[in-house]
Amino acid sequence: MLGRNFFHDLLSFFCFSIHLFGGLLRTAESAYLYHYCLGGNYVPTTTYQTNLNSLLFTLSSSITINNGYNNATVGETPDTVYGSYQCRKNIDTNTCQQSCVRPGFNELALLCPNSYEAIIWYHRCTLRYANRSFFEIMEDEPSYTLIVNNELNNNLSNPHQFTKALVGLVEDLSRKATLVTGHDSGSGSGAGAGRTWLFATGKRNFSASDGDKIYGLIQCDSVITPKSCRTCLEKIKVDAGVDCYGKRNGEIMRPSCYLRYQSDDFIHIDVPSTTEKPAPSLTPYSSNNTTMTKPAKRKIKTSSMITIAIVISVVVIAIIMTTIIRMQLTTATNGHYLICLRRWIAENIMDDVDDMATAESLQFNFTTIKAATNNFSEANKLGQGGFGSVYKGALPSGQEIAVKRLSSSSGQGEEEFKNEVLLVVKLQHRNLVRLLGFCLQLEEKLLIYEFMPNASLDQFIFDPVKRKRLDWERRYKIIEGISRGLLYLHEDSRLRIIHRDLKPSNVLLDADMEPKIADFGMARMFKFDQLQASTKRIMGTYGYMAPEYAMRGHFSVKSDVFSFGVLVLEILSGKRINSFHESKGVDDLLTYAWALWKKGTALELLDPTLKENHSRGEVMRCIHIALLCVQEDMADRPTMAAIIQKLTNFSVSLQLPTSPPTYFVKKKGETSTSFGDTVDEEQYTVNDASITQLHPR
């Protein structure tokens, strides 16, 4: 017989499952925002669980609140549990306790069963517990930004201006909240004794219209110092300019600080915002609410009918929820890339909100690119590498494009995607390939470039027929153009960029044979006072890598200079770096060039197609400069600024080069390490180097 307990358990499970799969059953009053379950899991029925239950009961029942804050500790090491809550100042104590603290701790126990540590945010309070003491310690991780992507939240005519106003409002509120008197900076005791509120509210206009205002509320835990509060709120300010770019309503949560802002006044009336995700209804089904008055036989029939009805309802709702969740995951996955991209820009290269607007404007619609490439047809395919395939396409305007479709199976695909998009925000030069934009749709990550009709340099200098189109004058201009592009990366741009994979296939040629450096997937940014970095992941192409990078993982601007020297020798000779393995006594192009230089017959290096048409002085100077670039000691190699001076001013004297390195070079026919493959660290790394390290339409 199906009795009351069956229906009680079934309905409880039903309600809880719905909560887990999308939060469809939530009450507006609790105003749930987000939660994290942290620290791994403890074994149920242990002392820790007993202590945790006691702690949650104590805090839920407590009415002793100092400046909205309370904490408690239960148990002895190693099973001690620490817990706290912080109410918002604009909510009275009783309301906070009844509508937020008490139901909140109950919900946290359900959301994070067996978790050693957990935190949950509501509009009215923040609750947390852990197996470590966190009282009076400023913590800014984990964090979460809650934004609803709907027409109302995105409907701004000037998102740039709005975001600047939002960042300014956060700055104002941060100063206001931390300008307090009588704040004890000592350790204090229990429930924030001797502390004061670190809380502020305010508003700011974001346009000329008096009605266009942003209302904001910020708060830190009452037990941290004002200085610590300012540090936490500084992180929130960055989040506001990045995650909340052009969004009317949002909330940013960190363990020790919190921001809520809206374009309507929520401060003086405690109403749910447009961003909230209300807390689930956790009231258990009570059999006392129903009395059974029918005979037993009738009860069985009624029970069966109810069971069938419930099962059908569960199946229907599950189907609906699955559809909704799939749609939400699509948005969330793509949104995650955008937030990561924005955060990376903000932390590394964003001078102001203008850079974010530039990145946002580069987005392409996937349908447009799919049509432009004829659904990525084989006939449009230009080539393929470890990161993915490249296709030719044409936009509706008639503009020809090259589309790099990053492979979902490539481990470095996401990193390359991020690097390429971010660098275009800051880098613009005639000798760098121009990225027109990007596209994100679920697993699809596309990079859209200007189309180079003459493909890459390697398709000319190594082709016995096409190389004839590159006379000496053109080759010399290509060398000079590449050098100017590298100088821009190293010294003249707003950043300092180390390319790390300069080679003929990464130099594209436009219709006028003007060289453009491409493929910034492995590029790394340096601070202007930074000279060198190191990595355990050796990424690049054998033969073009400087010895200090190939052997020890050290890279700098001089690593690119080495690659440039190899590239110049290939342009001069028409021979690949690894094409000499069958020649007696010669291991590679560097060894060959050095041997000719020592014998005084360096001109023999020159491509035979140029023998009758070249400038002897320019050729010898290029060979001399290339050999200076590939010297084994990086300190002996010239900078790109010095190289350009030597190329363009023949009155500048050149020092004598030393011998190039004799280290491993992949032989012809072997697979080169390119497109982000990793060199065996045990074989080639001789010390423990430290690792250095978009929302679709």
Side-chain angles (χ1 to χ4, degrees), residues 33 69 71 94 142 183 213 241 278 435 614:
L33 299 175
Y69 179 88
N71 65 32
N94 185 63
H183 193 288
K213 289 184 172 64
L435 182 68
H614 66 271

Side-chain angles (χ1 to χ4, degrees), residues 412 500 524 533-540 545 548-555 673 676-693:
Q412 281 70 46
R500 294 207 303 168
R524 289 295 178 266
S534 57
T535 179
K536 287 184 178 180
R537 290 182 59 81
I538 314 300
M539 301 168 66
M545 293 188 289
E548 69 274 6
Y549 179 49
M551 302 296 288
R552 298 185 296 277
H554 298 167
F555 61 93
T673 297
D677 296 339
T678 303
V679 177
D680 186 344
E681 294 176 15
E682 293 184 0
Q683 183 177 356
Y684 298 122
T685 303
V686 297
N687 67 344
D688 290 327
S690 61
I691 299 178
T692 58
Q693 306 254 295

Side-chain angles (χ1 to χ4, degrees), residues 363-374:
Q363 299 177 68
F364 276 78
N365 184 282
F366 180 75
T367 304
T368 300
I369 303 304
K370 186 177 180 180
T373 59
N374 193 21

Side-chain angles (χ1 to χ4, degrees), residues 315-578:
V315 172
V316 171
I317 293 176
I319 293 172
I320 295 172
M321 285 194 302
T322 300
T323 303
I324 294 173
I325 290 168
R326 285 182 62 87
M327 295 172 63
Q328 291 176 339
L329 283 175
T330 300
T331 302
T333 301
N334 293 318
H336 168 73
Y337 280 108
L338 182 62
I339 287 176
C340 289
L341 172 67
R342 289 171 168 172
R343 207 178 279 279
W344 203 92
I345 293 175
E347 293 174 352
N348 291 274
I349 60 174
M350 187 175 72
D351 292 334
D352 53 42
V353 182
D354 291 323
D355 293 333
M356 199 64 62
T358 301
E360 295 272 317
S361 68
L362 297 173
Q363 299 177 68
F364 276 78
N365 184 282
F366 180 75
T367 304
T368 300
I369 303 304
K370 186 177 180 180
T373 59
N374 193 21
N375 196 18
F376 305 100
S377 68
E378 283 296 314
N380 287 51
K381 195 170 184 177
L382 298 174
Q384 185 165 352
F387 280 131
S389 302
V390 180
Y391 298 85
K392 181 180 179 181
L395 297 175
S397 64
Q399 181 181 7
E400 291 185 314
I401 58 174
V403 180
K404 182 186 288 187
R405 189 182 194 185
L406 299 185
S407 170
S408 59
S409 61
S410 170
Q412 281 70 46
E414 293 180 13
E415 187 66 23
E416 185 200 47
F417 181 85
K418 184 170 63 176
N419 267 4
E420 296 263 6
V421 175
L422 294 176
L423 287 174
V424 78
V425 176
K426 297 288 186 178
L427 303 180
Q428 297 291 334
H429 189 270
R430 63 179 296 179
N431 294 117
L432 302 183
V433 70
R434 186 161 65 97
L435 182 68
L436 302 177
F438 66 91
C439 177
L440 271 175
Q441 179 162 315
L442 283 179
E443 295 301 316
E444 294 287 356
K445 295 186 288 291
L446 309 177
L447 295 164
I448 298 93
Y449 302 92
E450 59 179 335
F451 177 69
M452 295 288 110
N454 283 314
S456 55
L457 180 61
D458 63 316
Q459 296 187 32
F460 282 85
I461 59 176
F462 302 136
D463 186 286
V465 176
K466 287 185 176 181
R467 70 173 59 178
K468 296 177 182 178
R469 293 178 55 188
L470 296 181
D471 58 20
W472 172 247
E473 182 180 359
R474 278 183 171 167
R475 296 196 197 201
Y476 191 75
K477 286 183 178 179
I478 288 172
I479 292 171
E480 187 177 359
I482 296 170
S483 67
R484 293 191 183 280
L486 275 180
L487 175 64
Y488 174 78
L489 292 176
H490 291 177
E491 299 183 24
D492 293 343
S493 72
R494 298 162 69 182
L495 309 166
R496 174 169 287 179
I497 308 298
I498 314 301
H499 188 279
R500 294 207 303 168
D501 197 26
L502 185 67
K503 55 185 177 181
S505 60
N506 285 339
V507 176
L508 305 184
L509 301 174
D510 67 11
D512 299 320
M513 291 295 187
E514 182 80 19
K516 296 180 183 290
I517 299 172
D519 205 335
F520 291 88
M522 299 182 198
R524 289 295 178 266
M525 299 181 190
F526 273 18
K527 297 177 181 177
F528 274 98
D529 58 350
Q530 185 177 359
L531 300 177
Q532 180 176 295
S534 57
T535 179
K536 287 184 178 180
R537 290 182 59 81
I538 314 300
M539 301 168 66
T541 306
Y542 286 107
Y544 301 92
M545 293 188 289
E548 69 274 6
Y549 179 49
M551 302 296 288
R552 298 185 296 277
H554 298 167
F555 61 93
S556 65
V557 293
K558 295 297 184 72
S559 308
D560 281 351
V561 169
F562 184 92
S563 303
F564 174 76
V566 176
L567 181 56
V568 170
L569 292 176
E570 290 185 322
I571 293 172
L572 293 170
S573 65
K575 301 180 185 297
R576 296 184 185 273
I577 179 66
N578 59 352

Side-chain angles (χ1 to χ4, degrees), residues 5 25 48 53 391 432 438 544 607:
N5 290 337
L25 300 179
Y48 188 86
N53 293 340
Y391 298 85
L432 302 183
F438 66 91
Y544 301 92
D607 186 335

Side-chain angles (χ1 to χ4, degrees), residues 76-97:
E76 302 294 334
T77 305
D79 298 309
T80 310
V81 189
Y82 305 83
S84 72
Y85 62 83
Q86 175 70 62
C87 292
R88 309 287 173 243
K89 187 180 180 182
N90 62 328
I91 305 298
D92 69 81
T93 298
N94 185 63
T95 301
C96 177
Q97 183 71 22

